[in-house]
Amino acid sequence: MTTRPYAAMRRTLSVVDKLYEVNWGMVLLITIVACVGFAMLYSVAGGNLSPWATPQILRFVAGFAILVAVSVVDIRTWLSLAYPFYGASLVLLIGVVIAGHVGKGAERWITLGPLGLQPSELMKIALVLALARFLHGKSVEDISKPANLGLALAMIGIPAVFVVLQPNLGTTLIILMDGASLLFLAGLSWWWIAPAITAVAVAVPTAWQFVLHDYQKRRVLTFLDPESDALGAGWNITQAKIAIGSGGATGKGFLGGTQSKLNFLPEKHTDFIFTNFAEEFGFVGSIALLILFAVIIGYGVQIAASARSQFGRLLAMGLTLNFFFYIMINASMVMGLIPVVGIPMPLISYGGSAMFSVMFGFGLLMSVHVHRQVEIPRHSGGII
């Protein structure tokens, strides 16, 4: 007799079975972290739900519905949709170049009806999906063949070029790290990896001279010596350090942060919102939040390890690493450990595109978990 706990062993699952198989413990942790974000947006607005907390709550509710809907879709359907989704995201990126609008000095958004969309956020998920499908059909030996490797690098490099032109250096780095990580996990030979690392090191001076914009160079120089222009380019990072340091061990308490209330932090509701959290809840609260993130990442790794298909394993690990890179880069840049590159803290920072892409990614991760017993032949094209 098949009982509910073993429903995932069956090839065909009902919607009720799939909803039962969703990792609700992980969903609860995601919701708790999102609630921390709502509280911080309420705090940086001076104790008001407007203008940031209420829209963010509504986005999370919509994102939650997306997560549940995506999680019950068969993983073989996502395998079939991987390339079309990647192509559509690439078209939207090209659309930004043709008809995008400028915000905060960068051309990153495109208007689709009533929605303002940042396609680079979608591309981070689309790339993981497409690469997972491409690598799923390849053996370890196949991946290191020049033709296959060249195609995979083109899938990574083309969107990276469009994103860096916006300019959006932070998202470009995440796209490159997502792609490189998946190639490594799929078994790319060190005979390719070692020369690639060397080439990147050699290309840094060229990138500095011909790729980076002046404001990006200033960010790097400010990272190396923020006190050299504390009232100009070094303002954000200097104030961020003051906010984090003033929080001490246990913080000033909820709504007690002064750096954001007195508008010392210009991006207090987006990229630098973690500094307000550190100021109000201190070292202890910051570590607790990072532990919550770590447990979510641990769930993602566990889901990847339990998947029986190569596509499921690569998709789950790619999405988990994408989430990890988000957190690592944001936390590092607001603490002055790396240059400021404009990456939000997932689930915490204000922003619609980032929220929807993160929740869509978690939905895909849940789909892998729900369908973890599904075996997909290496050359399967999915169920469509």
Side-chain angles (χ1 to χ4, degrees):
M1 177 178 178
T2 303
T3 57
R4 181 76 70 188
Y6 303 102
M9 295 295 292
R10 299 200 301 270
R11 182 173 178 80
T12 302
L13 302 174
S14 68
V15 172
V16 175
D17 289 332
K18 293 180 179 183
L19 290 175
Y20 183 85
E21 292 292 340
V22 168
N23 189 330
W24 292 108
M26 184 176 182
V27 174
L28 176 62
L29 289 177
I30 293 169
T31 305
I32 291 172
V33 173
C35 288
V36 171
F38 306 150
M40 285 301 97
L41 291 172
Y42 176 83
S43 174
V44 296
N48 287 301
L49 290 171
S50 178
W52 300 307
T54 298
Q56 191 76 348
I57 292 171
L58 295 176
R59 288 165 178 163
F60 178 77
V61 171
F64 191 92
I66 291 172
L67 184 156
V68 174
V70 170
S71 67
V72 299
V73 175
D74 195 298
I75 189 174
R76 290 161 290 186
T77 300
W78 292 119
L79 179 77
S80 299
L81 295 175
Y83 291 157
F85 184 55
Y86 174 86
S89 300
L90 191 57
V91 169
L92 288 173
L93 274 181
I94 297 172
V96 172
V97 177
I98 298 172
H101 59 86
V102 178
K104 298 179 181 178
E107 191 175 29
R108 300 176 183 175
W109 290 266
I110 190 169
T111 301
L112 295 175
L115 300 176
L117 184 66
Q118 192 172 350
S120 58
E121 293 292 334
L122 283 180
M123 179 49 76
K124 284 185 283 192
I125 305 298
L127 175 65
V128 172
L129 253 177
L131 270 182
R133 171 167 182 172
F134 179 74
L135 298 171
H136 166 78
K138 305 288 183 296
S139 66
V140 172
E141 292 75 19
D142 288 339
I143 293 166
S144 295
K145 292 179 178 177
N148 291 327
L149 182 57
L151 189 53
L153 292 178
M155 293 171 65
I156 301 167
I158 291 173
V161 168
F162 282 107
V163 175
V164 80
L165 288 176
Q166 293 179 355
N168 189 340
L169 183 59
T171 300
T172 304
L173 289 174
I174 288 186
I175 286 175
L176 294 175
M177 289 192 293
D178 284 347
S181 299
L182 278 177
L183 288 175
F184 176 76
L185 291 171
L188 181 64
S189 169
W190 278 100
W191 287 106
W192 287 107
I193 296 174
I197 294 174
T198 305
V200 169
V202 172
V204 168
T206 304
W208 177 270
Q209 186 68 28
F210 299 107
V211 177
L212 293 185
H213 294 255
D214 289 340
Y215 80 93
Q216 291 169 331
K217 293 178 182 177
R218 283 197 298 274
R219 286 180 175 179
V220 176
L221 295 174
T222 301
F223 159 68
L224 297 173
D225 185 13
E227 284 75 23
S228 63
D229 190 13
L231 299 179
W235 176 264
N236 282 7
I237 192 61
T238 301
Q239 296 304 321
K241 289 180 178 179
I242 292 172
I244 293 172
S246 65
T250 56
K252 299 175 179 176
F254 184 50
L255 298 176
T258 54
Q259 292 298 105
S260 60
K261 306 296 184 303
L262 299 177
N263 292 320
F264 284 107
L265 287 173
E267 301 296 334
K268 59 188 179 184
H269 63 298
T270 54
D271 296 352
F272 284 84
I273 195 168
F274 182 69
T275 60
N276 185 69
F277 181 85
E279 184 180 19
E280 296 191 353
F281 294 95
F283 177 79
V284 173
S286 300
I287 292 298
L289 179 59
L290 292 177
I291 289 175
L292 276 178
F293 279 128
V295 175
I296 293 174
I297 291 169
Y299 268 125
V301 174
Q302 183 185 43
I303 289 172
S306 65
R308 299 188 68 172
S309 69
Q310 175 77 342
F311 175 70
R313 288 191 292 270
L314 290 174
L315 179 59
M317 276 307 300
L319 294 169
T320 302
L321 285 170
N322 179 66
F323 187 67
F324 167 74
F325 291 144
Y326 252 119
I327 299 162
M328 180 192 70
I329 293 177
N330 180 273
S332 299
M333 78 177 193
V334 300
M335 289 188 285
L337 300 177
I338 64 171
V340 175
V341 290
I343 289 293
M345 180 65 85
L347 299 171
I348 305 283
S349 295
Y350 180 80
S353 296
M355 174 65 81
F356 290 137
S357 69
V358 167
M359 296 301 283
F360 179 58
F362 279 127
L364 290 173
L365 197 58
M366 287 300 156
S367 178
V368 175
H369 178 70
V370 170
H371 304 91
R372 59 191 178 277
Q373 298 295 343
V374 173
E375 296 184 14
I376 307 175
R378 280 301 183 100
H379 297 290
S380 171
I383 62 175
I384 294 177

